[in-house]
Amino acid sequence: MGSFNTSVGDGFILVGFSDWPQLELIFFIYILIFYSLTLFGNTTIIALSRLDLRLRTPMFFFLSHLSFLDLCYTTSTVPQLLINLQGHDQTITYGGCVVQLFIVLALGSTESVLLVVMAVDRYAAVCRPLHYTTVMHPLLCQTLAIASWVGGLVNSTIQTGLMMAMPLCGHRLNHFFCEMPVFLKLACEDTGGTEAKMFVARAIVLVFPAALILGSYAHIARAVLKVKSMAGRRKAFGTCGSHLVVVSMFYGSAIYTYLQPMGSYSENEGKFVALFYTIVTPMLNPLIYTLRNKDVKVAMWKILGRGTDSG
């Protein structure tokens, strides 16, 4: 394994949004609000899924894992950004940057696999309703969740290792956290072979899962259209629609960031896209999944002491 060029020194400077100093205070306020809502919303989902028996289902088991992922993902980047926006410290050590890169890649890859698992769960619920509890038994759910985490860690280990083997020149990262495409911009020699390997790894963890999800929802749509009851159709589409919204936001921003050619990658555009998938999407996930879910509303009122078990 190679090493970073000595011109990098002991760390990096995260440029963040210092090119727009007039917007830094606005960014700080909004990002702090969004981060607080993200912490509250996802922590609430995890707590409710543990405290209320009605929510101890495969869907909420996987949703609690997604919420935990979102909590870790935002916490791995947002505090650094808030410090950066205050102008107190825009540096990050070499070791800290590598750790952040590894964590971000691991959590993002895990979420990519987990969304496939959640699509499989929705497929079983809609297309195999009579066998749902048999198919999605607790042991299988735990195995699928563990497989998601292992897949994310393996992908991150591979990509971080390839990144560390690339010689980099410079210490100025035009981003608010240690992001893979920005690192590639610092490469000081031809790294076409390494980039090709990394592109294949990213394609496997993004394109293949997205294709599986689209396939599962094609089967779901066909099954729903066979339902004669309009109320049954609305319930099925409502159950799956929230997952599709999350999938579209996640894969849309991830594919834009990681699968476009490096020659066309814009660092400034990348920063604003990164704000979306590191802050906005994790904040919206709890709302998208639970806003129309009656069981969540009942559980919430029950915890607050304003409802009963029967709702």
Side-chain angles (χ1 to χ4, degrees), residues 94-240:
Y94 159 73
C97 206
V98 172
V99 170
Q100 187 180 62
L101 177 66
F102 177 83
I103 291 174
V104 168
L105 286 174
L107 295 174
S109 303
T110 301
E111 183 161 342
S112 182
V113 180
L114 184 64
L115 289 174
V116 177
V117 172
M118 295 176 76
V120 171
D121 173 64
R122 292 302 86 205
Y123 169 83
V126 175
C127 300
R128 300 288 187 271
L130 298 179
H131 304 285
Y132 177 68
T133 54
T134 303
V135 173
M136 300 303 294
H137 54 83
L139 180 59
L140 177 62
C141 292
Q142 293 172 7
T143 302
L144 291 173
I146 293 172
S148 300
W149 284 95
V150 171
L153 290 171
V154 169
N155 178 69
S156 180
T157 300
I158 293 172
Q159 293 204 58
T160 303
L162 289 170
M163 187 71 254
M164 292 177 66
M166 297 175 66
L168 305 180
C169 295
H171 63 280
R172 188 176 183 271
L173 292 176
N174 191 13
H175 212 290
F176 60 85
F177 70 97
C178 298
E179 177 75 300
M180 180 66 73
V182 183
F183 266 122
L184 294 176
K185 288 280 189 178
L186 289 182
C188 52
E189 65 179 42
D190 183 20
T191 55
T194 302
E195 287 187 39
K197 295 175 185 177
M198 296 172 71
F199 182 86
V200 171
R202 294 195 296 267
I204 290 173
V205 83
L206 288 174
V207 177
F208 185 61
L212 288 177
I213 291 173
L214 290 177
S216 69
Y217 274 96
H219 286 289
I220 289 173
R222 188 161 53 237
V224 171
L225 291 175
K226 293 180 182 179
V227 177
K228 296 180 180 181
S229 168
M230 288 300 297
R233 289 186 182 183
R234 283 195 297 268
K235 182 178 180 180
F237 278 123
T239 301
C240 301

Side-chain angles (χ1 to χ4, degrees), residues 268-291:
N268 287 334
E269 289 180 7
K271 282 187 279 192
F272 286 97
V273 173
L275 280 178
F276 185 79
Y277 62 75
T278 59
I279 299 172
V280 178
T281 301
M283 180 195 69
L284 292 178
N285 279 351
L287 292 176
I288 291 171
Y289 272 106
T290 63
L291 195 59

